[in-house]
Amino acid sequence: MFTSISGQTAIVTGASRGIGRGIAIRFGSVGCNVLVISRSIEGAERVVSEIKAAGGSASAAAIDVSDPDQSPRMAEVAIERYGAINILCANAGIFPASKLDKMTALEFDAVMGANLRGTFLTVQACLPEMKARRKGRIVLTSSITGPITGYPGWAHYGASKAGQLGFMRTAAIELAPSHITMNAVMPGNIATEGLADLGPEYAAKMEGSIPMGRLGTVVDIANAALFFASEEAAYITGQTLIIDGGQVLPESLMALEEMNAS
Ligand code: NAP
């Protein structure tokens, strides 16, 4: 259905597990050279092995996206190994919970550092190559939490995820003349290792508030990222796509009860 993007190079951050792993495997499955980034090299190498075992091309690099001394290396490594950066999925993120009355400035800064500063540094690292090529696709992983919804304990996280969209809207204008698009996926609750860390009760209760009755899968998000990265999405920039099984739709608990009764 889509023009092949086989042979293109895709950098995926936060790809040692969870949504990033799903995106990396999906891009590997369509023939991209995938650079798998996370802080831990072991986790990234495991995903590389999975991609290679399925016949794909991938390699790993250990980089902390929030560190300006480390982030430029992702572009250097991609160019050294593959000669190009065509697609960037800025996905790395953390979501530790902390209620406002107890939240420390350090906790706030850590979430902003990984999620928002990390997004900025990741994008900035890849721009020279994309601009020189006068083409590129950037996909951010935001969230419904922040831009649309709230959840106690995640004020800092919500701010970082909403911040990514503010960042994107100006960046997309700046990059449009270079034919570089920037769009964001906004996942609902997706079954990942990070979500599992919140405990089984969280996942079970959350399923009950999703009209489709299940958590999302990493493949659900990866497919949306693949669309934004496709040739066919060339004229879409600065936009968002919610992938949440309808989670943000019910206007109240009553709407869900009514749905379940019918
Ligand atoms: P996860 O399972 O905890 O995985 C997070 C990934 O990010 C890991 O590979 C981790 O590897 C990496 N990472 C974290 N901090 C990093 C840093 N500073 N530099 C480089 N890599 C870093 O998380 P997830 O659930 O897949 O979430 C991934 C993204 O989706 C996040 O941006 C999150 O906000 C967003 N999201 C998730 C959900 C959900 O329901 N799961 C919903 C909405 C949005 P290392 O620890 O080795 O660095």
Side-chain angles (χ1 to χ4, degrees):
M1 184 166 94
F2 289 108
T3 306
S4 171
I5 56 170
S6 179
Q8 294 196 8
T9 298
I11 298 178
V12 186
T13 69
S16 63
R17 61 182 215 171
I19 291 173
R21 170 180 163 271
I23 294 174
I25 290 173
R26 189 75 181 94
F27 279 87
S29 78
V30 296
C32 289
N33 302 309
V34 186
L35 182 59
V36 176
I37 306 281
S38 65
R39 290 167 300 181
S40 74
I41 193 67
E42 297 79 13
E45 292 284 12
R46 272 196 299 275
V47 174
V48 167
S49 301
E50 285 185 81
I51 295 171
K52 286 185 172 167
S57 160
S59 63
I63 291 169
D64 182 339
V65 297
S66 67
D67 181 348
D69 292 333
Q70 297 186 37
S71 55
R73 214 159 56 76
M74 75 179 83
E76 291 159 16
V77 169
I79 293 160
E80 259 167 44
R81 294 181 190 167
Y82 305 115
I85 305 168
N86 308 104
I87 299 159
L88 169 64
C89 295
N91 166 82
I94 56 172
F95 37 94
S98 183
K99 297 259 175 71
L100 266 186
D101 49 358
K102 298 260 168 57
M103 188 184 291
T104 65
L106 275 181
E107 286 173 330
F108 185 89
D109 286 349
V111 170
M112 284 293 170
N115 298 1
L116 191 51
R117 188 165 74 152
T119 297
F120 151 61
L121 291 172
T122 297
V123 167
Q124 195 181 49
C126 297
L127 282 188
E129 219 295 303
M130 285 185 172
K131 279 189 164 175
R133 191 171 284 278
R134 290 191 61 73
K135 193 171 175 189
R137 294 278 190 279
I138 301 174
V139 185
L140 310 183
T141 304
S142 174
S143 177
I144 58 169
T145 310
I148 310 247
T149 63
Y151 195 97
W154 280 334
H156 49 0
Y157 176 74
S160 74
K161 294 281 132 180
Q164 285 180 300
L165 301 188
F167 168 82
M168 173 185 76
R169 292 188 178 110
T170 286
I173 298 173
E174 290 188 22
L175 300 179
S178 301
H179 308 285
I180 299 167
T181 68
M182 185 184 298
N183 296 287
V185 292
M186 295 168 69
N189 278 270
I190 310 303
T192 65
E193 293 86 335
L195 196 99
D197 290 346
L198 303 174
E201 207 189 332
Y202 176 90
K205 282 195 173 163
M206 198 48 85
E207 274 180 357
S209 66
I210 300 171
M212 286 192 179
R214 66 166 176 91
L215 299 181
T217 67
V218 297
V219 176
D220 292 323
I221 307 305
N223 285 331
L226 190 60
F227 168 66
F228 278 137
S230 70
E231 292 298 322
E232 282 75 5
Y235 201 53
I236 303 172
T237 196
Q239 302 305 309
T240 57
L241 185 57
I242 295 175
I243 306 111
D244 73 342
Q247 188 178 337
V248 300
L249 297 178
E251 64 180 39
S252 67
L253 210 52
M254 276 193 302
L256 279 171
E257 286 166 2
E258 190 65 30
M259 180 193 83
N260 287 325
S262 55

